[in-house]
PDB file of all heavy atoms in Angstrom:
ATOM      1  N   TRP A 177     100.076  96.902  90.175  1.00 97.00           N
ATOM      2  CA  TRP A 177     100.223  97.508  91.499  1.00 97.00           C
ATOM      3  C   TRP A 177     101.229  96.713  92.332  1.00 97.00           C
ATOM      4  O   TRP A 177     102.087  97.280  93.005  1.00 97.00           O
ATOM      5  CB  TRP A 177      98.863  97.553  92.180  1.00 97.00           C
ATOM      6  CG  TRP A 177      98.817  98.347  93.459  1.00 97.00           C
ATOM      7  CD1 TRP A 177      98.504  99.665  93.596  1.00 97.00           C
ATOM      8  CD2 TRP A 177      99.105  97.856  94.774  1.00 97.00           C
ATOM      9  NE1 TRP A 177      98.577 100.031  94.923  1.00 97.00           N
ATOM     10  CE2 TRP A 177      98.936  98.940  95.675  1.00 97.00           C
ATOM     11  CE3 TRP A 177      99.477  96.630  95.291  1.00 97.00           C
ATOM     12  CZ2 TRP A 177      99.133  98.814  97.052  1.00 97.00           C
ATOM     13  CZ3 TRP A 177      99.675  96.500  96.667  1.00 97.00           C
ATOM     14  CH2 TRP A 177      99.502  97.580  97.522  1.00 97.00           C
ATOM     15  N   LEU A 178     101.145  95.381  92.266  1.00 97.00           N
ATOM     16  CA  LEU A 178     102.095  94.523  92.985  1.00 97.00           C
ATOM     17  C   LEU A 178     103.490  94.605  92.372  1.00 97.00           C
ATOM     18  O   LEU A 178     104.500  94.577  93.089  1.00 97.00           O
ATOM     19  CB  LEU A 178     101.600  93.074  92.965  1.00 97.00           C
ATOM     20  CG  LEU A 178     100.340  92.785  93.779  1.00 97.00           C
ATOM     21  CD1 LEU A 178      99.848  91.369  93.509  1.00 97.00           C
ATOM     22  CD2 LEU A 178     100.607  92.967  95.269  1.00 97.00           C
ATOM     23  N   THR A 179     103.558  94.735  91.059  1.00 97.00           N
ATOM     24  CA  THR A 179     104.850  94.817  90.373  1.00 97.00           C
ATOM     25  C   THR A 179     105.580  96.106  90.735  1.00 97.00           C
ATOM     26  O   THR A 179     106.796  96.109  90.950  1.00 97.00           O
ATOM     27  CB  THR A 179     104.649  94.732  88.854  1.00 97.00           C
ATOM     28  OG1 THR A 179     103.921  93.532  88.534  1.00 97.00           O
ATOM     29  CG2 THR A 179     105.973  94.699  88.131  1.00 97.00           C
ATOM     30  N   GLU A 180     104.850  97.208  90.803  1.00 95.00           N
ATOM     31  CA  GLU A 180     105.472  98.489  91.140  1.00 95.00           C
ATOM     32  C   GLU A 180     106.134  98.442  92.512  1.00 95.00           C
ATOM     33  O   GLU A 180     107.139  99.117  92.748  1.00 95.00           O
ATOM     34  CB  GLU A 180     104.421  99.603  91.099  1.00 95.00           C
ATOM     35  CG  GLU A 180     103.950  99.943  89.694  1.00 95.00           C
ATOM     36  CD  GLU A 180     102.786 100.913  89.705  1.00 95.00           C
ATOM     37  OE1 GLU A 180     102.193 101.108  90.804  1.00 95.00           O
ATOM     38  OE2 GLU A 180     102.461 101.473  88.654  1.00 95.00           O
ATOM     39  N   ARG A 181     105.589  97.661  93.415  1.00 95.00           N
ATOM     40  CA  ARG A 181     106.130  97.578  94.774  1.00 95.00           C
ATOM     41  C   ARG A 181     107.145  96.464  94.942  1.00 95.00           C
ATOM     42  O   ARG A 181     107.723  96.310  96.019  1.00 95.00           O
ATOM     43  CB  ARG A 181     104.964  97.402  95.761  1.00 95.00           C
ATOM     44  CG  ARG A 181     104.233  98.717  95.967  1.00 95.00           C
ATOM     45  CD  ARG A 181     102.769  98.554  96.286  1.00 95.00           C
ATOM     46  NE  ARG A 181     102.160  99.895  96.391  1.00 95.00           N
ATOM     47  CZ  ARG A 181     101.775 100.613  95.338  1.00 95.00           C
ATOM     48  NH1 ARG A 181     101.931 100.128  94.108  1.00 95.00           N
ATOM     49  NH2 ARG A 181     101.243 101.812  95.504  1.00 95.00           N
ATOM     50  N   GLY A 182     107.369  95.684  93.903  1.00 95.00           N
ATOM     51  CA  GLY A 182     108.401  94.669  93.926  1.00 95.00           C
ATOM     52  C   GLY A 182     107.947  93.310  94.414  1.00 95.00           C
ATOM     53  O   GLY A 182     108.765  92.391  94.511  1.00 95.00           O
ATOM     54  N   ALA A 183     106.668  93.131  94.729  1.00 96.00           N
ATOM     55  CA  ALA A 183     106.179  91.817  95.135  1.00 96.00           C
ATOM     56  C   ALA A 183     106.254  90.842  93.971  1.00 96.00           C
ATOM     57  O   ALA A 183     106.455  89.632  94.158  1.00 96.00           O
ATOM     58  CB  ALA A 183     104.747  91.913  95.650  1.00 96.00           C
ATOM     59  N   LEU A 184     106.085  91.363  92.765  1.00 97.00           N
ATOM     60  CA  LEU A 184     106.278  90.606  91.530  1.00 97.00           C
ATOM     61  C   LEU A 184     107.320  91.323  90.681  1.00 97.00           C
ATOM     62  O   LEU A 184     107.322  92.557  90.612  1.00 97.00           O
ATOM     63  CB  LEU A 184     104.966  90.491  90.753  1.00 97.00           C
ATOM     64  CG  LEU A 184     103.840  89.677  91.391  1.00 97.00           C
ATOM     65  CD1 LEU A 184     102.569  89.783  90.551  1.00 97.00           C
ATOM     66  CD2 LEU A 184     104.251  88.216  91.544  1.00 97.00           C
ATOM     67  N   ASN A 185     108.182  90.561  90.040  1.00 96.00           N
ATOM     68  CA  ASN A 185     109.194  91.134  89.152  1.00 96.00           C
ATOM     69  C   ASN A 185     109.082  90.470  87.790  1.00 96.00           C
ATOM     70  O   ASN A 185     109.152  89.236  87.680  1.00 96.00           O
ATOM     71  CB  ASN A 185     110.600  90.915  89.722  1.00 96.00           C
ATOM     72  CG  ASN A 185     110.812  91.679  91.016  1.00 96.00           C
ATOM     73  OD1 ASN A 185     110.886  92.896  91.021  1.00 96.00           O
ATOM     74  ND2 ASN A 185     110.888  90.962  92.126  1.00 96.00           N
ATOM     75  N   LEU A 186     108.878  91.274  86.765  1.00 96.00           N
ATOM     76  CA  LEU A 186     108.705  90.746  85.418  1.00 96.00           C
ATOM     77  C   LEU A 186     109.996  90.113  84.931  1.00 96.00           C
ATOM     78  O   LEU A 186     111.034  90.771  84.853  1.00 96.00           O
ATOM     79  CB  LEU A 186     108.273  91.865  84.464  1.00 96.00           C
ATOM     80  CG  LEU A 186     107.956  91.442  83.035  1.00 96.00           C
ATOM     81  CD1 LEU A 186     106.745  90.520  82.999  1.00 96.00           C
ATOM     82  CD2 LEU A 186     107.713  92.677  82.156  1.00 96.00           C
ATOM     83  N   ALA A 187     109.927  88.817  84.622  1.00 96.00           N
ATOM     84  CA  ALA A 187     111.093  88.095  84.133  1.00 96.00           C
ATOM     85  C   ALA A 187     111.090  87.986  82.616  1.00 96.00           C
ATOM     86  O   ALA A 187     112.151  87.963  81.983  1.00 96.00           O
ATOM     87  CB  ALA A 187     111.147  86.691  84.751  1.00 96.00           C
ATOM     88  N   ASP A 188     109.890  87.936  82.017  1.00 96.00           N
ATOM     89  CA  ASP A 188     109.810  87.774  80.568  1.00 96.00           C
ATOM     90  C   ASP A 188     108.401  88.135  80.133  1.00 96.00           C
ATOM     91  O   ASP A 188     107.434  87.981  80.881  1.00 96.00           O
ATOM     92  CB  ASP A 188     110.119  86.329  80.167  1.00 96.00           C
ATOM     93  CG  ASP A 188     110.331  86.184  78.656  1.00 96.00           C
ATOM     94  OD1 ASP A 188     110.603  87.210  78.005  1.00 96.00           O
ATOM     95  OD2 ASP A 188     110.204  85.059  78.151  1.00 96.00           O
ATOM     96  N   GLY A 189     108.291  88.622  78.910  1.00 96.00           N
ATOM     97  CA  GLY A 189     106.982  88.908  78.349  1.00 96.00           C
ATOM     98  C   GLY A 189     106.469  90.285  78.706  1.00 96.00           C
ATOM     99  O   GLY A 189     107.209  91.164  79.155  1.00 96.00           O
ATOM    100  N   SER A 190     105.159  90.492  78.520  1.00 96.00           N
ATOM    101  CA  SER A 190     104.539  91.798  78.728  1.00 96.00           C
ATOM    102  C   SER A 190     103.106  91.630  79.217  1.00 96.00           C
ATOM    103  O   SER A 190     102.305  90.939  78.563  1.00 96.00           O
ATOM    104  CB  SER A 190     104.545  92.606  77.425  1.00 96.00           C
ATOM    105  OG  SER A 190     103.708  93.739  77.526  1.00 96.00           O
ATOM    106  N   ALA A 191     102.782  92.251  80.335  1.00 96.00           N
ATOM    107  CA  ALA A 191     101.409  92.204  80.845  1.00 96.00           C
ATOM    108  C   ALA A 191     100.475  92.985  79.933  1.00 96.00           C
ATOM    109  O   ALA A 191      99.321  92.591  79.731  1.00 96.00           O
ATOM    110  CB  ALA A 191     101.363  92.763  82.259  1.00 96.00           C
ATOM    111  N   THR A 192     100.967  94.095  79.385  1.00 95.00           N
ATOM    112  CA  THR A 192     100.133  94.887  78.487  1.00 95.00           C
ATOM    113  C   THR A 192      99.785  94.096  77.234  1.00 95.00           C
ATOM    114  O   THR A 192      98.637  94.125  76.756  1.00 95.00           O
ATOM    115  CB  THR A 192     100.855  96.189  78.102  1.00 95.00           C
ATOM    116  OG1 THR A 192     101.167  96.921  79.290  1.00 95.00           O
ATOM    117  CG2 THR A 192     100.001  97.038  77.190  1.00 95.00           C
ATOM    118  N   ALA A 193     100.760  93.373  76.694  1.00 96.00           N
ATOM    119  CA  ALA A 193     100.496  92.546  75.515  1.00 96.00           C
ATOM    120  C   ALA A 193      99.512  91.435  75.852  1.00 96.00           C
ATOM    121  O   ALA A 193      98.621  91.108  75.052  1.00 96.00           O
ATOM    122  CB  ALA A 193     101.799  91.964  74.980  1.00 96.00           C
ATOM    123  N   TRP A 194      99.641  90.841  77.049  1.00 97.00           N
ATOM    124  CA  TRP A 194      98.697  89.793  77.460  1.00 97.00           C
ATOM    125  C   TRP A 194      97.287  90.362  77.584  1.00 97.00           C
ATOM    126  O   TRP A 194      96.313  89.713  77.190  1.00 97.00           O
ATOM    127  CB  TRP A 194      99.135  89.194  78.789  1.00 97.00           C
ATOM    128  CG  TRP A 194      98.220  88.119  79.305  1.00 97.00           C
ATOM    129  CD1 TRP A 194      98.290  86.776  79.040  1.00 97.00           C
ATOM    130  CD2 TRP A 194      97.090  88.301  80.164  1.00 97.00           C
ATOM    131  NE1 TRP A 194      97.279  86.104  79.687  1.00 97.00           N
ATOM    132  CE2 TRP A 194      96.518  87.019  80.380  1.00 97.00           C
ATOM    133  CE3 TRP A 194      96.494  89.395  80.768  1.00 97.00           C
ATOM    134  CZ2 TRP A 194      95.392  86.822  81.179  1.00 97.00           C
ATOM    135  CZ3 TRP A 194      95.370  89.217  81.561  1.00 97.00           C
ATOM    136  CH2 TRP A 194      94.828  87.938  81.763  1.00 97.00           C
ATOM    137  N   ALA A 195      97.171  91.571  78.133  1.00 96.00           N
ATOM    138  CA  ALA A 195      95.855  92.191  78.257  1.00 96.00           C
ATOM    139  C   ALA A 195      95.238  92.446  76.891  1.00 96.00           C
ATOM    140  O   ALA A 195      94.023  92.371  76.715  1.00 96.00           O
ATOM    141  CB  ALA A 195      95.951  93.497  79.032  1.00 96.00           C
ATOM    142  N   GLY A 196      96.102  92.721  75.883  1.00 95.00           N
ATOM    143  CA  GLY A 196      95.595  92.947  74.536  1.00 95.00           C
ATOM    144  C   GLY A 196      95.149  91.672  73.852  1.00 95.00           C
ATOM    145  O   GLY A 196      94.119  91.649  73.172  1.00 95.00           O
ATOM    146  N   ASP A 197      95.907  90.577  74.029  1.00 95.00           N
ATOM    147  CA  ASP A 197      95.572  89.299  73.382  1.00 95.00           C
ATOM    148  C   ASP A 197      96.237  88.163  74.149  1.00 95.00           C
ATOM    149  O   ASP A 197      97.396  87.826  73.888  1.00 95.00           O
ATOM    150  CB  ASP A 197      96.042  89.307  71.928  1.00 95.00           C
ATOM    151  CG  ASP A 197      95.569  88.069  71.168  1.00 95.00           C
ATOM    152  OD1 ASP A 197      94.993  87.159  71.798  1.00 95.00           O
ATOM    153  OD2 ASP A 197      95.786  88.021  69.945  1.00 95.00           O
ATOM    154  N   PRO A 198      95.530  87.544  75.091  1.00 94.00           N
ATOM    155  CA  PRO A 198      96.132  86.482  75.904  1.00 94.00           C
ATOM    156  C   PRO A 198      96.448  85.221  75.117  1.00 94.00           C
ATOM    157  O   PRO A 198      97.208  84.370  75.594  1.00 94.00           O
ATOM    158  CB  PRO A 198      95.072  86.221  76.974  1.00 94.00           C
ATOM    159  CG  PRO A 198      93.788  86.668  76.363  1.00 94.00           C
ATOM    160  CD  PRO A 198      94.139  87.819  75.478  1.00 94.00           C
ATOM    161  N   GLU A 199      95.901  85.102  73.922  1.00 93.00           N
ATOM    162  CA  GLU A 199      96.200  83.932  73.105  1.00 93.00           C
ATOM    163  C   GLU A 199      97.563  84.042  72.442  1.00 93.00           C
ATOM    164  O   GLU A 199      98.181  83.026  72.097  1.00 93.00           O
ATOM    165  CB  GLU A 199      95.116  83.767  72.015  1.00 93.00           C
ATOM    166  CG  GLU A 199      93.721  83.511  72.554  1.00 93.00           C
ATOM    167  CD  GLU A 199      93.637  82.197  73.301  1.00 93.00           C
ATOM    168  OE1 GLU A 199      94.364  81.244  72.934  1.00 93.00           O
ATOM    169  OE2 GLU A 199      92.852  82.115  74.273  1.00 93.00           O
ATOM    170  N   ARG A 200      98.058  85.244  72.265  1.00 93.00           N
ATOM    171  CA  ARG A 200      99.319  85.458  71.561  1.00 93.00           C
ATOM    172  C   ARG A 200     100.456  85.935  72.468  1.00 93.00           C
ATOM    173  O   ARG A 200     101.608  85.948  72.051  1.00 93.00           O
ATOM    174  CB  ARG A 200      99.117  86.486  70.432  1.00 93.00           C
ATOM    175  CG  ARG A 200      98.184  86.026  69.328  1.00 93.00           C
ATOM    176  CD  ARG A 200      97.996  87.132  68.295  1.00 93.00           C
ATOM    177  NE  ARG A 200      97.178  86.695  67.174  1.00 93.00           N
ATOM    178  CZ  ARG A 200      97.661  86.121  66.073  1.00 93.00           C
ATOM    179  NH1 ARG A 200      98.969  85.942  65.964  1.00 93.00           N
ATOM    180  NH2 ARG A 200      96.857  85.734  65.100  1.00 93.00           N
ATOM    181  N   ALA A 201     100.139  86.366  73.661  1.00 95.00           N
ATOM    182  CA  ALA A 201     101.161  86.947  74.536  1.00 95.00           C
ATOM    183  C   ALA A 201     101.062  86.355  75.940  1.00 95.00           C
ATOM    184  O   ALA A 201     100.027  85.827  76.345  1.00 95.00           O
ATOM    185  CB  ALA A 201     101.020  88.462  74.590  1.00 95.00           C
ATOM    186  N   GLU A 202     102.160  86.424  76.655  1.00 96.00           N
ATOM    187  CA  GLU A 202     102.217  85.922  78.037  1.00 96.00           C
ATOM    188  C   GLU A 202     103.254  86.742  78.788  1.00 96.00           C
ATOM    189  O   GLU A 202     104.049  87.486  78.201  1.00 96.00           O
ATOM    190  CB  GLU A 202     102.589  84.434  78.043  1.00 96.00           C
ATOM    191  CG  GLU A 202     102.586  83.761  79.407  1.00 96.00           C
ATOM    192  CD  GLU A 202     101.276  83.863  80.149  1.00 96.00           C
ATOM    193  OE1 GLU A 202     101.066  84.936  80.762  1.00 96.00           O
ATOM    194  OE2 GLU A 202     100.485  82.898  80.129  1.00 96.00           O
ATOM    195  N   ALA A 203     103.229  86.637  80.108  1.00 97.00           N
ATOM    196  CA  ALA A 203     104.208  87.318  80.956  1.00 97.00           C
ATOM    197  C   ALA A 203     104.581  86.375  82.092  1.00 97.00           C
ATOM    198  O   ALA A 203     103.722  85.667  82.632  1.00 97.00           O
ATOM    199  CB  ALA A 203     103.637  88.622  81.498  1.00 97.00           C
ATOM    200  N   LEU A 204     105.862  86.364  82.451  1.00 97.00           N
ATOM    201  CA  LEU A 204     106.359  85.508  83.526  1.00 97.00           C
ATOM    202  C   LEU A 204     106.929  86.380  84.633  1.00 97.00           C
ATOM    203  O   LEU A 204     107.697  87.310  84.374  1.00 97.00           O
ATOM    204  CB  LEU A 204     107.446  84.566  82.995  1.00 97.00           C
ATOM    205  CG  LEU A 204     108.055  83.587  84.014  1.00 97.00           C
ATOM    206  CD1 LEU A 204     106.991  82.573  84.469  1.00 97.00           C
ATOM    207  CD2 LEU A 204     109.253  82.875  83.418  1.00 97.00           C
ATOM    208  N   TYR A 205     106.562  86.079  85.880  1.00 97.00           N
ATOM    209  CA  TYR A 205     106.971  86.894  87.023  1.00 97.00           C
ATOM    210  C   TYR A 205     107.707  86.054  88.059  1.00 97.00           C
ATOM    211  O   TYR A 205     107.352  84.905  88.325  1.00 97.00           O
ATOM    212  CB  TYR A 205     105.744  87.522  87.709  1.00 97.00           C
ATOM    213  CG  TYR A 205     105.056  88.581  86.889  1.00 97.00           C
ATOM    214  CD1 TYR A 205     104.007  88.254  86.028  1.00 97.00           C
ATOM    215  CD2 TYR A 205     105.444  89.913  86.985  1.00 97.00           C
ATOM    216  CE1 TYR A 205     103.356  89.224  85.290  1.00 97.00           C
ATOM    217  CE2 TYR A 205     104.814  90.894  86.234  1.00 97.00           C
ATOM    218  CZ  TYR A 205     103.767  90.543  85.399  1.00 97.00           C
ATOM    219  OH  TYR A 205     103.142  91.512  84.662  1.00 97.00           O
ATOM    220  N   ASP A 206     108.742  86.668  88.653  1.00 97.00           N
ATOM    221  CA  ASP A 206     109.365  86.129  89.856  1.00 97.00           C
ATOM    222  C   ASP A 206     108.596  86.662  91.061  1.00 97.00           C
ATOM    223  O   ASP A 206     108.209  87.830  91.087  1.00 97.00           O
ATOM    224  CB  ASP A 206     110.834  86.555  89.958  1.00 97.00           C
ATOM    225  CG  ASP A 206     111.683  85.979  88.830  1.00 97.00           C
ATOM    226  OD1 ASP A 206     111.425  84.835  88.436  1.00 97.00           O
ATOM    227  OD2 ASP A 206     112.593  86.692  88.363  1.00 97.00           O
ATOM    228  N   ILE A 207     108.384  85.821  92.053  1.00 96.00           N
ATOM    229  CA  ILE A 207     107.637  86.209  93.249  1.00 96.00           C
ATOM    230  C   ILE A 207     108.607  86.500  94.383  1.00 96.00           C
ATOM    231  O   ILE A 207     109.456  85.668  94.713  1.00 96.00           O
ATOM    232  CB  ILE A 207     106.663  85.091  93.668  1.00 96.00           C
ATOM    233  CG1 ILE A 207     105.697  84.757  92.530  1.00 96.00           C
ATOM    234  CG2 ILE A 207     105.886  85.491  94.921  1.00 96.00           C
ATOM    235  CD1 ILE A 207     104.809  83.544  92.816  1.00 96.00           C
ATOM    236  N   ASP A 208     108.507  87.690  94.961  1.00 95.00           N
ATOM    237  CA  ASP A 208     109.328  88.056  96.115  1.00 95.00           C
ATOM    238  C   ASP A 208     108.495  87.823  97.370  1.00 95.00           C
ATOM    239  O   ASP A 208     107.612  88.606  97.698  1.00 95.00           O
ATOM    240  CB  ASP A 208     109.767  89.518  96.015  1.00 95.00           C
ATOM    241  CG  ASP A 208     110.824  89.880  97.057  1.00 95.00           C
ATOM    242  OD1 ASP A 208     110.613  89.550  98.248  1.00 95.00           O
ATOM    243  OD2 ASP A 208     111.840  90.491  96.691  1.00 95.00           O
ATOM    244  N   ARG A 209     108.805  86.741  98.091  1.00 93.00           N
ATOM    245  CA  ARG A 209     107.999  86.353  99.249  1.00 93.00           C
ATOM    246  C   ARG A 209     108.056  87.391 100.370  1.00 93.00           C
ATOM    247  O   ARG A 209     107.059  87.653 101.049  1.00 93.00           O
ATOM    248  CB  ARG A 209     108.480  85.005  99.787  1.00 93.00           C
ATOM    249  CG  ARG A 209     108.247  83.846  98.844  1.00 93.00           C
ATOM    250  CD  ARG A 209     106.786  83.501  98.790  1.00 93.00           C
ATOM    251  NE  ARG A 209     106.491  82.561  97.714  1.00 93.00           N
ATOM    252  CZ  ARG A 209     105.260  82.308  97.281  1.00 93.00           C
ATOM    253  NH1 ARG A 209     104.251  82.944  97.810  1.00 93.00           N
ATOM    254  NH2 ARG A 209     105.068  81.446  96.306  1.00 93.00           N
TER     255      ARG A 209
END
Side-chain angles (χ1 to χ4, degrees):
W177 189 92
L178 292 172
T179 305
E180 289 172 346
R181 284 150 183 81
L184 294 174
N185 294 290
L186 184 65
D188 192 20
S190 167
T192 302
W194 179 89
D197 187 353
E199 297 296 328
R200 295 177 176 271
E202 184 57 279
L204 181 66
Y205 291 91
D206 295 323
I207 302 173
D208 190 311
R209 294 288 169 194

